Amino acid sequence: MTKKLTVVGAGLMGSGIAQVAAQAGWDVTLRDLDEAATGRGIAGIRASLGKFATKGTISQEDADAALARITPTSDLEAAADADIVVEAVFESIDVKRDVFKALDKICKDGAILATNTSAIPITQIAAVTARPEAVVGTHFFSPVPMMKLCELVRGLKTSDATLDASRTFAEELGKTCIVVNRDVAGFVTTRLIAALVVEAVKLVENGVVSAEDLDIACRLGFGHAMGPLATTDLTGVDILAHAARNIYTETADPKFFPPELLQRMVAAGDLGRKTGKGFYSY
Ligand SMILES: NC(=O)c1ccc[n+]([C@@H]2O[C@H](COP(=O)([O-])OP(=O)(O)OC[C@H]3O[C@@H](n4cnc5c(N)ncnc54)[C@H](O)[C@@H]3O)[C@@H](O)[C@H]2O)c1
């Protein structure tokens, strides 16, 4: 029987997750607040599948079949028969808790309730449901069709069965999983990048090295595909500053305190690629 996935949130991440699941043969429902939002999601998926087909990575037939497996909807009730639901709405604890409260009422027994949050503790989301054992973090990376990692995050009450089912799901989508045993602030990947970026910004701020040379050091010295400052520009200077501050707030570990330069760049609107200026100009 074809397995059913509902993705809640048809933005950048939700549409990417819907796409790779449909390509893996899942029957997908893509839910957002209105038709305009689901329409944008579907248009993005069509464009992405089209690019793969043009490059010859997949056949046009497979691209069409994947698109046909995705049903857009604005009705959350569509999640009633889903085997797994992945939530990818805005990174707001209030919005996410509202979604999970509703899913808890709608979803069938045995469904896996997953969140794509980058940083919100899974336990805080699971606590609004009557089935915290079925709630898990499935942290995919952007762009989802290209990036191979999925960080599986346990909340305090996530069961082994839920973790195993979410791993099987992510692997079917072609991802390699790492397991985060406790939902600490920033999980594993955001902690690592926050620590690296904070130290990198301090070295640049103190005049020890230029941004360009620091990135060269990481690329040629450590084999990183991109230096941490170019990565910050791509992700958003504000996003990284916010992530570092959240980890600092939860851990009180000074190594995560956002350096002054990072804070001033946010204040000045130098947010990276999206504003045309960050550590580099675009
Ligand atoms: N962007 C990234 O690089 C990235 C990477 C990893 C994880 N994440 C996480 O993934 C999640 C989604 O991020 P994104 O970048 O796709 O955001 P986005 O802003 O592109 O999309 C969010 C979508 O959620 C929709 N939405 C809001 N409330 C909703 C509701 N109640 N029901 C249905 N849809 C609703 C919005 O209309 C929007 O289309 C966030 O938790 C984010 O932290 C993002």
Side-chain angles (χ1 to χ4, degrees):
M1 212 170 66
T2 309
K3 283 168 282 185
K4 289 184 170 23
L5 164 72
T6 293
V7 179
V8 185
L12 180 69
M13 298 305 291
S15 55
I17 295 163
Q19 176 182 329
V20 292
Q23 286 183 262
W26 282 65
D27 188 349
V28 182
T29 305
L30 181 58
R31 196 264 171 169
D32 209 301
L33 297 174
D34 53 38
E35 233 174 80
T38 52
R40 281 192 296 275
I42 295 287
I45 294 169
R46 183 179 291 114
S48 170
L49 287 168
K51 267 190 216 155
F52 284 120
T54 307
K55 273 198 222 147
T57 320
I58 58 172
S59 69
Q60 188 60 49
E61 210 173 46
D62 285 350
D64 294 343
L67 196 61
R69 278 193 282 272
I70 305 173
T71 309
T73 182
S74 56
D75 186 0
L76 195 61
E77 292 290 335
D81 62 349
D83 300 298
I84 177 160
V85 179
V86 178
E87 166 278 311
V89 304
F90 301 132
E91 185 75 348
S92 146
I93 176 126
D94 293 336
V95 178
K96 288 188 190 287
R97 284 166 68 109
D98 283 350
V99 169
F100 274 78
K101 247 186 239 168
L103 287 174
D104 190 29
K105 294 202 180 78
I106 291 167
C107 292
K108 67 182 184 189
D109 282 349
I112 304 295
L113 307 185
T115 170
N116 192 54
T117 180
S118 325
I120 298 171
I122 308 308
T123 308
Q124 288 184 23
I125 297 172
V128 300
T129 73
R131 43 175 130 176
E133 71 286 352
V135 180
V136 63
T138 51
H139 182 204
F140 291 88
F141 289 73
S142 175
V144 182
M146 308 297 296
M147 299 292 278
K148 291 282 172 223
L149 180 64
C150 182
E151 199 176 25
L152 300 178
V153 188
R154 276 181 179 279
L156 196 61
K157 297 192 176 170
T158 306
S159 69
D160 291 345
T162 297
L163 192 82
D164 290 348
S166 62
R167 179 196 285 277
T168 302
F169 165 70
E171 287 179 351
E172 276 186 31
L173 271 49
K175 304 307 173 196
T176 299
C177 298
I178 64 157
V179 176
V180 181
N181 291 318
R182 279 184 301 124
D183 53 354
V184 296
F187 309 147
V188 166
T189 51
T190 308
R191 274 228 185 184
L192 287 174
I193 191 67
L196 181 60
V197 167
V198 166
E199 197 55 35
V201 176
K202 280 189 204 159
L203 288 168
V204 170
E205 176 172 66
N206 292 331
V208 176
V209 67
S210 68
E212 289 81 358
D213 281 0
L214 187 134
D215 277 352
I216 289 173
C218 288
R219 290 203 318 274
L220 304 189
F222 305 143
H224 292 186
M226 264 177 111
L229 300 175
T231 302
T232 302
D233 276 1
L234 182 64
T235 308
V237 174
D238 51 335
I239 305 279
L240 254 310
H242 184 71
R245 184 172 288 279
N246 277 347
I247 299 171
Y248 170 74
T249 304
E250 194 157 323
T251 60
D253 185 337
K255 78 166 170 279
F256 293 106
F257 190 77
E260 208 164 69
L261 174 61
L262 204 63
Q263 298 187 47
R264 292 294 177 272
M265 287 174 72
V266 174
D270 289 350
L271 307 183
R273 289 195 189 206
K274 62 188 170 190
T275 60
K277 172 125 186 55
F279 290 96
Y280 300 90
S281 295
Y282 300 90

